[in-house]
Amino acid sequence: MELVRLSPLQRIVRAAAVGLALAFALLPLLWVVSIAIRPGSQAVYPISILPTSLTLDNITGVLFGSTGIGLTPYRNAAFYGLSSALITAVASTLGGYALARYNIRSGEGLLIVILALSFLPSASRIVPLFILTSASGLYGTAQGVILAYAAGSTPLGIWLMAGTFRQIPVRLEQAARIDGAGALLTMRRVLLPLAVPGILVVGTLAFIDGWNSFSLPLILIPKDTAQPYTVALQRYIQEIGYGINWPLLAAGSLVALVPVLTVFAILQRRLVRVGGLGGAIRG
């Protein structure tokens, strides 16, 4: 395949477009980092993006200070996000395989409906989920909020996993069946190793959605000790008479970025290692 060569003007336009996109994505993050690591006396208007001095007092204050939220909200968010990711990955794998492999009537239409459900905003699900959790006795429990997270992320997960399984040739399963492997053994030894990238993507999206969720835990978890960090950070916004505590709010948000970036870095390496069918098919 012949590569397209860009003219000098096209290269300049491309570099400018990339630079604008990076600035649009990174400037908010730079502001959060800048405010989080500066003394509180420098977080007043007018404010510059580069602090004159650096300090970690805001971060330690959020985690261990008398006015901090502590580590518990972050542990709660991690528990809810990881549990939701596990449930979503299992349900999406089973549902995606069924839609990809079995001749289900109106299967394509069902996939479109499932994809449309994934675009619904979380706010539209609050009232139905509140009614369901209250009627089932799960209101205010970790199980209730985890199932609510999974219900929101599973539709998109099923759609993604259906596409993943459709990329895996059926003849691999047929060859395993000819060799005497049953349905479970074929799934475990043949399909799942090849579907690992898709499963990791689905699980990662579910975890990030649960980790960053705000409206659902705000409504479904009344206990302060069980709320995630997204709800706990509200105390820095609702301090009547003091305004918004920008340094501590930014520091709490910065701490929340670390697990997400770590998970993404680890899974990115994993995706590079296992991506593709490799030598599974010959001829």
Side-chain angles (χ1 to χ4, degrees), residues 178-201:
I178 292 174
D179 291 338
L184 293 178
L185 185 61
T186 301
M187 173 66 78
R188 184 165 60 90
R189 294 290 183 87
V190 178
L191 292 177
L192 287 182
L194 296 176
V196 164
I199 296 173
L200 291 179
V201 169

Side-chain angles (χ1 to χ4, degrees), residues 73 76-85 87-88 122 125 129 133 141-156 205-221 226-231:
N76 293 336
F79 175 69
Y80 300 150
L82 290 174
S83 301
S84 171
I87 295 174
T88 301
S122 58
R125 298 184 283 118
L129 287 173
T133 53
T141 64
Q143 295 89 337
V145 72
I146 289 170
L147 291 176
Y149 287 173
S153 55
T154 297
L156 179 60
L205 292 177
F207 170 74
I208 294 176
D209 183 61
W211 176 263
N212 294 325
S213 181
F214 171 75
S215 57
L216 286 179
L218 177 65
I219 301 299
L220 299 180
I221 306 179
Q227 289 175 344
Y229 77 93
T230 51
V231 180

Side-chain angles (χ1 to χ4, degrees), residues 248-264:
L248 293 184
L249 181 61
S253 303
L254 181 61
V255 172
L257 285 175
V258 175
V260 175
L261 295 178
T262 302
V263 169
F264 179 78

Side-chain angles (χ1 to χ4, degrees), residues 34-130:
S34 173
I35 296 175
I37 61 176
R38 72 175 63 202
S41 59
Q42 296 185 23
V44 293
Y45 184 84
I47 185 173
S48 62
I49 192 171
L50 296 177
T52 57
S53 60
L54 304 179
T55 180
L56 296 179
D57 291 343
N58 297 324
I59 297 176
T60 57
V62 166
L63 297 178
F64 310 108
S66 58
T67 60
I69 62 175
L71 293 172
T72 300
Y74 294 99
R75 286 197 294 263
N76 293 336
F79 175 69
Y80 300 150
L82 290 174
S83 301
S84 171
L86 179 61
I87 295 174
T88 301
V90 173
S92 300
T93 300
L94 296 176
Y97 178 79
L99 289 176
R101 285 292 187 260
Y102 296 105
N103 188 17
I104 302 176
R105 182 178 297 180
S106 303
E108 292 295 333
L110 184 59
L111 272 178
I112 294 176
V113 171
I114 290 174
L115 180 61
L117 289 175
S118 66
F119 292 133
L120 289 176
S122 58
S124 65
R125 298 184 283 118
I126 291 178
V127 174
L129 287 173
F130 175 79

Side-chain angles (χ1 to χ4, degrees), residues 101 163-173 190-198 271-282:
R101 285 292 187 260
T164 298
F165 283 117
R166 283 180 174 175
Q167 293 179 354
I168 301 175
V170 180
R171 53 183 174 174
L172 292 178
E173 296 180 62
V190 178
L191 292 177
L192 287 182
L194 296 176
V196 164
L271 287 172
V272 171
R273 290 177 183 175
V274 302
L277 297 178
I281 305 173
R282 291 185 180 181

